[in-house]
């Protein structure tokens, strides 16, 4: 797959390139990113270079991990990254935001745009969001982007050599007003009150 560029009201979502090494390296020094995102610790220049010269291009080439830089619409530094990646036939969204750009809704705006693109260009039927239980910032972004929280997966995330519980949420094409390739029939069981 050839990399693509997306635009939103305030943002340009473009493929990350080797020219972004300084921005990625600086952002990934943040202890919060290192706490929640599965990146090497300490995060060194060689890690950013490998990510930008090997992992990002390989992900686009194989259409298994499409990673976008989140930058201001008029251009500027990388404020974060959002990706759509496929694992075992299921599309997921992931993201991080540089500390100085948090709290302005950029990541929510970018995640919605990537979700819409995943449904229309990649043919995703369901888009999942997953994060370690306790990652309240990531969960807030997912919920604002429209993901419905579905529960906790016990011991489902291996992070820093430890199995951890994981939150999971999902977004469907219909949640964004888009048609799905197949009809969806929700279970009636979802609407039964607890204890009934």
């Amino acid at each position: 797959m050839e990399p693509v560029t997306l635009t939103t009201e305030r943002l340009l979502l473009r493929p990350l390139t080797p020219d972004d090494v300084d921005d990625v390296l600086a952002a990934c020094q943040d202890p919060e990113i290192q706490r929640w995102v599965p990146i090497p610790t300490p995060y060194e220049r060689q890690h950013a270079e490998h990510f930008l010269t090997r992992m990002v291009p390989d992900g686009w080439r194989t259409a298994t991990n499409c990673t976008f830089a989140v930058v201001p619409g008029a251009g500027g530094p990388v404020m974060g990254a959002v990706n759509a990646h496929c694992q075992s036939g299921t599309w997921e969204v992931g993201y991080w935001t540089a500390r100085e750009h948090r709290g302005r809704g950029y990541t929510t705006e970018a995640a919605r745009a990537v979700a819409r693109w995943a449904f229309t260009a990649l043919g995703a039927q369901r888009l999942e969001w997953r994060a370690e239980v306790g990652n309240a910032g990531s969960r807030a972004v997912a919920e604002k982007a429209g993901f419905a929280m579905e529960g906790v997966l016990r011991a489902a995330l291996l992070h820093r050599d430890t199995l951890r519980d994981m939150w999971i949420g999902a977004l469907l094409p219909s949640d964004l007003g888009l048609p799905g390739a197949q009809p969806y029939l929700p279970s009636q069981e979802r609407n039964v009150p607890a204890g009934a």
Side-chain angles (χ1 to χ4, degrees), residues 144-181:
K144 289 175 188 171
F147 284 78
M149 294 302 116
E150 296 182 332
V152 173
L153 303 176
R154 296 182 313 142
L157 175 68
L158 181 62
H159 184 62
R160 310 272 184 246
D161 296 323
T162 301
L163 287 172
R164 301 164 192 256
D165 292 345
M166 177 188 293
W167 281 322
I168 184 168
L171 189 69
L172 304 178
S174 58
D175 296 332
L176 297 179
L178 299 170

Side-chain angles (χ1 to χ4, degrees), residues 9 24 58 60 72 74 92 102 135 143 167:
E9 184 179 328
V24 170
D58 287 352
W60 278 102
E92 297 179 30
R102 293 181 192 145
N135 189 346
E143 290 178 331
W167 281 322

Side-chain angles (χ1 to χ4, degrees), residues 28 30-43 47 50-51 55 65 83 85 87 92-96 130-132 135 138 156-162 164 166:
C28 290
D30 177 10
E32 286 296 302
I33 289 177
Q34 291 189 17
R35 166 62 183 94
W36 300 112
V37 179
I39 60 172
T41 303
Y43 194 82
H47 300 122
H50 178 76
F51 174 62
M55 294 174 70
N65 192 341
N83 73 23
H85 57 280
Q87 293 188 10
E92 297 179 30
V93 65
Y95 41 78
W96 56 260
R130 297 169 182 243
E132 183 180 336
N135 189 346
S138 183
L157 175 68
L158 181 62
H159 184 62
R160 310 272 184 246
D161 296 323
T162 301
R164 301 164 192 256
M166 177 188 293

